[in-house]
């Protein structure tokens, strides 16, 4: 029976993937890109900028200020057609002293962001990735520096990550990319190569731990840890103190994944002294736990999936879809107010029936009693759960014990912050409350 279920699951997943590719082919066909890989490669190649293309984009930006309405309209249409590649030029144009240029640049940026440009590029990448030749991989890597679309970057990374590690041509290409002049290319190559448990390859990745770009340092460090190379840990711990907060928080999340309930009782904030203290706490944890920590567990966690979590109060639905828009699960939660996805195909939900943890079929696995109607929730380090109500906030630990529970001024605008404090809006501004 287990074998039969496994086969059915594989068949279902295969059918879903095929259906997604059919949609991708239809989108590419509708946009007249072509039906063959050569045409798809040409589409990406046309967006890899050289001096001539950069000059053309600069000219189109200038044309937005033309005295002729038709010229301005043509420039807008062409800039939108360039897609995400034109965004850096358009963002720069937002600082123009010409209000017409600013207005039209905003329109272009909005249409590129919410339009089909990104979806079309992603579709082309997925179609090409079905047969990842050296030419395709090379085009992906050369295209990376000219796209600031995170979804497109993620598609390229995912495609390269799934490639055969025994493919010598691809390995050679990725190793060469470690020396690229573009940090995004270096980071992508490092994040793929560092995961491999090959000493000779990991040795080539380690120099990027000292890169001037903090994101590249993080990508290299995370990948090396995923490849069970503990030499990257000192760099990751240093990032807690010196890297931009978004990267430092990503490091902290990774460390919590390794430490689980043995994690230090500190929370990273923007305060320099606090960051130094947090770093030292984690250094002490590593000194005591290095021999016990299972670095391979980091490979088991999903990467940046690009999924969207939907919470619908009026229709009482909580759902999640992937970056292609395909629904992954959809459950009924009466008057849903908030939700957070948990590991193990579970979701923490808040609605008219209180706070509960459910599986992706809607079955209630655990009901959390709050006493009053909740309006928000958050998953905290160490498995703790924060719950907000109209005039009350509480925190519950992984064992179900209440950490704190106190009344506040009535408001629905309440959030837990990484400082370990509570933020709420009281009509006059933002108030920060200590939980101690």
């Amino acid at each position: 029976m287990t074998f039969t279920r496994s086969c059915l699951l594989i068949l279902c997943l295969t059918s879903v993937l095929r259906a997604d590719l059919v949609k991708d082919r239809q989108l590419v066909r509708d946009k007249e890109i072509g039906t063959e890989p050569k045409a798809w490669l040409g589409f990406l190649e046309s967006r890899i900028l050289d001096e001539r293309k950069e000059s053309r984009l600069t000219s189109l930006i200038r044309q937005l200020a033309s005295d002729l309405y038709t010229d301005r309209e043509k420039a807008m249409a062409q800039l939108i057609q360039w897609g995400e590649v034109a965004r850096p030029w358009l963002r720069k144009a937002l600082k123009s002293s010409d209000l017409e240029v600013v207005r039209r640049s905003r329109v272009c940026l909005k249409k590129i962001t919410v339009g089909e440009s990104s979806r079309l590029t992603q579709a082309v990448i997925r179609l090409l990735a079905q047969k990842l030749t050296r030419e395709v991989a090379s085009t992906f890597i050369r295209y990376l520096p000219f796209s600031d679309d995170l979804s497109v970057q993620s598609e390229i990374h995912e495609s390269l990550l799934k490639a055969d590690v025994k493919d010598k041509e691809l390995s050679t290409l990725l190793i060469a990319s470690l020396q690229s002049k573009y940090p995004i290319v270096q980071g992508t190559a490092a994040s793929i190569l560092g995961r491999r448990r090959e000493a000779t390859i990991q040795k080539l990745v380690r120099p990027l731990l000292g890169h001037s770009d903090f994101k590249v340092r993080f990508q290299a460090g995370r990948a090396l840890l995923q490849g069970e190379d503990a030499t990257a840990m000192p760099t990751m711990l240093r990032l807690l103190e010196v890297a931009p907060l978004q990267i430092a928080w990503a490091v902290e999340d990774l460390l919590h994944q390794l430490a689980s309930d043995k994690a230090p009782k500190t929370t990273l904030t923007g305060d320099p002294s606090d960051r130094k203290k947090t770093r030292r706490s984690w250094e002490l944890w590593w000194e005591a736990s290095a021999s016990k920590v299972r670095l391979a567990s980091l490979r088991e966690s999903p990467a940046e999936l690009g999924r969207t979590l939907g919470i619908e109060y009026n229709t009482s639905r909580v759902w999640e879809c992937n970056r292609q828009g395909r629904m992954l699960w959809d459950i009924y939660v009466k008057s849903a107010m908030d939700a957070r996805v948990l590991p193990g195909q579970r979701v923490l939900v808040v609605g008219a029936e209180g706070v509960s943890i459910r599986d992706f079929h809607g079955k209630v696995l655990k009901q959390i009693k709050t006493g009053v109607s909740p309006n928000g929730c958050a998953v905290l380090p160490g498995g703790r759960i924060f719950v907000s109500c109209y005039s009350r906030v509480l925190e519950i630990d992984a064992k179900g014990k209440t950490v704190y529970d106190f009344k506040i001024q009535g408001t629905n605008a309440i959030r837990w912050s990484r400082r370990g404090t509570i933020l709420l809006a009281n009509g006059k501004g933002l108030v920060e409350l200590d939980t101690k």
Side-chain angles (χ1 to χ4, degrees):
M1 180 63 72
T2 302
F3 175 75
T4 304
R5 286 176 178 169
S6 299
C7 289
L8 286 173
L9 178 60
I10 292 170
L11 286 171
C12 288
L13 289 173
T14 303
S15 299
V16 168
L17 289 172
R18 285 177 178 169
D20 287 343
L21 287 174
V22 168
K23 291 179 181 178
D24 287 340
R25 287 181 181 276
Q26 186 60 51
L27 177 59
V28 168
R29 191 179 298 115
D30 290 346
K31 295 300 177 181
E32 300 180 354
I33 302 300
T35 58
E36 298 298 327
K38 185 177 180 180
W40 303 334
L41 278 172
F43 171 81
L44 292 182
E45 289 283 358
S46 69
R47 297 183 172 205
I48 296 174
L49 300 185
D50 54 23
E51 190 175 332
R52 180 181 60 82
K53 292 173 184 175
E54 290 181 355
S55 176
R56 177 59 182 155
L57 283 168
T58 301
S59 176
L60 288 172
I61 294 294
R62 282 200 302 266
Q63 195 174 322
L64 293 177
S66 172
D67 292 336
L68 295 176
Y69 173 79
T70 53
D71 286 349
R72 298 197 298 273
E73 287 290 297
K74 287 178 182 177
M76 275 187 68
Q78 290 183 47
L79 284 165
I80 292 168
Q81 193 172 16
W82 274 92
E84 70 271 13
V85 173
R87 282 203 282 220
W89 272 261
L90 290 165
R91 289 199 184 104
K92 188 176 179 180
L94 292 176
K95 299 177 182 178
S96 171
S97 58
D98 190 313
L99 295 181
E100 178 69 358
V101 171
V102 172
R103 184 186 72 80
R104 287 181 176 271
S105 295
R106 283 203 183 106
V107 173
C108 289
L109 282 167
K110 184 177 180 180
K111 290 193 174 182
I112 290 171
T113 301
V114 303
E116 291 195 337
S117 174
S118 177
R119 291 195 294 274
L120 178 60
T121 306
Q122 291 176 63
V124 168
I125 291 167
R126 284 191 293 270
L127 290 171
L128 285 169
Q130 296 308 298
K131 189 174 181 181
L132 194 67
T133 63
R134 190 185 192 286
E135 182 184 12
V136 170
S138 175
T139 302
F140 283 175
I141 290 170
R142 289 188 298 109
Y143 180 72
L144 265 177
F146 303 106
S147 172
D148 67 349
D149 188 310
L150 293 177
S151 296
V152 171
Q153 293 171 11
S154 181
E155 283 289 352
I156 291 176
H157 180 272
E158 200 170 304
S159 299
L160 295 173
L161 193 59
K162 291 177 181 176
D164 185 357
V165 296
K166 296 179 181 178
D167 187 326
K168 291 184 178 179
E169 283 195 337
L170 180 57
S171 293
T172 301
L173 181 64
L174 288 170
I175 289 171
S177 297
L178 293 173
Q179 306 298 323
S180 171
K181 67 178 182 178
Y182 298 108
I184 188 172
V185 173
Q186 292 178 290
T188 299
S191 66
I192 296 168
L193 294 172
R195 293 166 55 95
R196 300 186 184 178
R197 299 183 183 92
E198 298 178 41
T200 54
I201 288 182
Q202 289 184 327
K203 184 179 179 181
L204 298 173
V205 174
R206 284 189 204 116
L208 295 185
L209 293 173
H211 199 283
S212 59
D213 188 306
F214 285 111
K215 185 175 180 180
V216 175
R217 286 193 215 178
F218 170 74
Q219 289 174 303
R222 179 181 58 185
L224 287 167
L225 291 179
Q226 289 171 330
E228 299 180 61
D229 182 351
T231 62
M233 185 59 82
T235 295
M236 298 298 273
L237 295 173
R238 197 176 303 117
L239 291 177
L240 289 170
E241 183 178 357
V242 301
L245 269 178
Q246 291 296 331
I247 293 175
W249 283 333
V251 174
E252 186 183 40
D253 289 343
L254 179 146
L255 292 171
H256 272 288
Q257 186 180 333
L258 287 173
S260 188
D261 58 350
K262 300 293 191 299
K265 305 301 181 183
T266 58
T267 303
L268 191 66
T269 72
D271 181 77
S273 61
D274 177 71
R275 293 185 67 173
K276 187 173 183 178
K277 178 183 175 183
T278 300
R279 172 186 172 180
R280 184 55 186 155
S281 296
W282 280 106
E283 285 175 339
L284 291 172
W285 164 82
W286 179 243
E287 289 171 10
S289 311
S291 60
K292 309 169 191 173
V293 170
R294 184 171 159 266
L295 293 176
S297 64
L298 295 176
R299 297 175 66 90
E300 299 164 7
S301 64
E304 298 166 346
L305 298 175
R307 292 177 178 175
T308 298
L309 179 66
I311 304 161
E312 301 182 13
Y313 176 83
N314 291 332
T315 58
S316 298
R317 291 173 61 207
V318 176
W319 49 265
E320 188 177 25
C321 68
N322 65 11
R323 63 165 61 90
Q324 287 81 42
R326 181 172 64 81
M327 195 67 70
L328 301 175
W329 53 269
D330 186 346
I331 64 174
Y332 175 85
V333 178
K334 186 177 180 180
S335 302
M337 295 281 285
D338 204 356
R340 296 291 185 274
V341 176
L342 302 173
Q345 295 192 319
R346 301 173 302 150
V347 58
L348 174 68
V349 298
V350 171
E353 297 170 335
V355 183
S356 61
I357 295 176
R358 309 188 184 199
D359 64 19
F360 287 170
H361 299 289
K363 180 182 177 180
V364 177
L365 304 176
K366 182 178 181 180
Q367 192 75 37
I368 301 171
K369 296 180 180 180
T370 60
V372 292
S373 298
N375 56 30
C377 63
V379 180
L380 311 185
R384 295 172 292 139
I385 293 173
F386 170 79
V387 178
S388 64
C389 309
Y390 180 70
S391 57
R392 184 177 163 203
V393 290
L394 60 153
E395 184 179 312
I396 302 163
D397 66 18
K399 295 181 180 179
K401 182 181 177 181
T402 301
V403 180
Y404 58 78
D405 181 352
F406 54 84
K407 293 182 179 181
I408 58 171
Q409 180 182 352
T411 176
N412 282 322
I414 309 167
R415 285 294 179 267
W416 180 86
S417 80
R418 281 185 173 270
R419 289 173 57 86
T421 58
I422 296 166
L423 299 175
L424 62 90
N426 65 359
K428 297 180 180 178
L430 198 63
V431 178
E432 185 174 22
L433 302 177
D434 197 336
T435 59
K436 295 181 175 63

